[in-house]
Amino acid sequence: MIILTGMLTMQQAPAPSAPAAVAQTAPAPETAPRRPRRICENRAPTGRRLEQRICYTPEQYAAMVAAKRKEAEEITASGNIQNDATANGG
């Protein structure tokens, strides 16, 4: 019985040191990098009926919008806009 009591005492001694080690590893999830926010849209690519979900980072989306805006301004500034009345033959 004395041996059993001694063994139980030995088992309880390491228990307080274990939570201290766990407490030191707790801040790890806070330092994990967060995923960047994405801008997604559904599109049906040319020649397809089914839409696909396409996602961009905010920087990629801003660059795409700027490129499309610049292209549209160049088209309208060049004066090569088709007049619908002449296209129909009237």
Side-chain angles (χ1 to χ4, degrees):
M1 185 134 152
I2 296 173
I3 296 173
L4 181 61
T5 308
M7 290 174 64
L8 291 175
T9 317
M10 293 286 220
Q11 286 181 351
Q12 293 176 356
S17 64
V22 173
Q24 292 174 355
T25 59
E30 294 175 323
T31 59
R34 291 177 41 175
R35 266 181 86 178
R37 198 173 139 206
R38 317 250 319 142
I39 299 172
C40 298
E41 57 185 23
N42 292 329
R43 283 194 194 167
T46 304
R48 296 188 181 185
R49 294 182 186 177
L50 299 176
E51 292 185 344
Q52 293 178 340
R53 185 175 176 97
I54 302 172
C55 297
Y56 305 97
T57 62
E59 294 83 16
Q60 289 174 331
Y61 189 76
M64 183 180 66
V65 168
K68 286 182 180 181
R69 183 174 290 134
K70 182 180 176 184
E71 183 181 353
E73 288 174 358
E74 288 174 358
I75 290 172
T76 56
S78 67
N80 291 332
I81 300 173
Q82 181 177 352
N83 187 353
D84 289 336
T86 59
N88 291 333

